[in-house]
């Protein structure tokens, strides 16, 4: 008899477990069941409207930021262009000054050389005259 009671107890436990499992499963199914078609479409429409609004806001923010970045880029490039122009003018002026100084130094040196040559010619001419005078006076 004890085996028969045990089998009846096991059967009863199985039926009781199945009944409780079925009730819990039904409750979970009701809680997580998909919404009706109408509710689902309404949720999709409201979600898409929210996403559309967010996208519009992001577009506006991106447009504003793009304008700010464009202005900064234009300002930076114009400042860079101005700096390059100023530096090139300074460099050009410095090169012109160096060339002028070089030319004036060359002209000064050429002038000095010409003066030295002229003095040497005069000395040679004077020396020649002295030699001629001494030769003519000794011939007399």
């Amino acid at each position: 008899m004890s085996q028969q009671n045990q089998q009846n107890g096991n059967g009863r436990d199985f039926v009781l477990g199945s009944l409780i499992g079925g009730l819990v499963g039904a409750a979970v199914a009701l809680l997580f069941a998909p919404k009706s078609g109408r509710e689902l479409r309404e949720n999709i429409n409201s979600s898409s409207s929210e996403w559309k609004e967010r996208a519009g806001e992001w577009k506006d923010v991106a447009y504003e930021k793009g304008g700010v970045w464009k202005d900064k880029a234009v300002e930076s490039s114009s400042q860079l262009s101005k700096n390059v122009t100023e530096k090139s003018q300074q460099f050009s002026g410095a090169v012109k000054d160096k060339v002028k100084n070089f030319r004036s130094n060359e002209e000064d040196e050429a002038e000095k050389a010409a003066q030295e040559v002229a003095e040497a010619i005069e000395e040679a001419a004077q020396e020649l005259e002295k030699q001629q005078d001494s030769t003519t006076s000794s011939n007399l």
Side-chain angles (χ1 to χ4, degrees), residues 39-85:
E39 288 178 56
L40 184 61
R41 285 190 300 271
E42 287 175 1
N43 284 346
I44 289 173
N45 284 335
S46 66
S47 294
S48 66
S49 296
E50 289 175 20
W51 280 106
K52 186 178 179 181
E53 286 177 25
R54 284 185 185 173
E57 291 171 2
W58 292 343
K59 178 195 74 143
D60 293 341
V61 168
Y63 185 76
E64 289 174 13
K65 294 284 184 181
V68 168
W69 290 344
K70 179 192 134 226
D71 293 342
K72 284 183 181 180
V74 167
E75 183 180 327
S76 295
S77 64
S78 67
Q79 185 65 32
L80 180 64
S81 174
K82 183 179 175 183
N83 288 345
V84 167
T85 302

Side-chain angles (χ1 to χ4, degrees), residues 3-17:
Q3 265 185 348
Q4 203 174 16
N5 279 340
Q6 199 173 20
Q7 284 179 354
N8 283 342
N10 285 340
R12 217 180 315 159
D13 290 341
F14 178 74
V15 171
L16 186 61

